[in-house]
Amino acid sequence: MQVIVDVKGEDTHEVDLSEPTYADLLSAVDLSPHEASVLVDGSPVPEDQPVESDRVTVLRLIKGG
């Protein structure tokens, strides 16, 4: 499944994984569920849920130091 992952304020990535979860998408863009949330149509989704959308937005919860 090919998914466009838009990391807000950063980059947009095209990720191609078979049967991914939202946590898999975060991992593919070098983020963890502890530092980012995945949004589909503006609503957060559980990281263990299978991906059902071809475009997601990632909102970083922690950035910088």
Side-chain angles (χ1 to χ4, degrees):
M1 172 178 215
Q2 190 167 20
V3 181
I4 297 172
V5 180
D6 178 22
V7 182
K8 275 297 181 198
E10 296 181 24
D11 295 325
T12 299
H13 307 268
E14 288 188 28
V15 176
D16 194 9
L17 299 170
S18 72
E19 301 183 32
T21 64
Y22 291 105
D24 295 332
L25 293 181
L26 288 175
S27 180
V29 296
D30 295 325
L31 295 171
S32 78
H34 300 289
E35 62 184 329
S37 289
V38 179
L39 307 174
V40 174
D41 296 326
S43 297
V45 292
E47 71 252 9
D48 61 347
Q49 181 176 330
V51 175
E52 297 175 353
S53 179
D54 62 351
R55 186 175 188 94
V56 301
T57 301
V58 172
L59 182 61
R60 291 194 62 167
L61 306 174
I62 302 170
K63 185 174 180 176

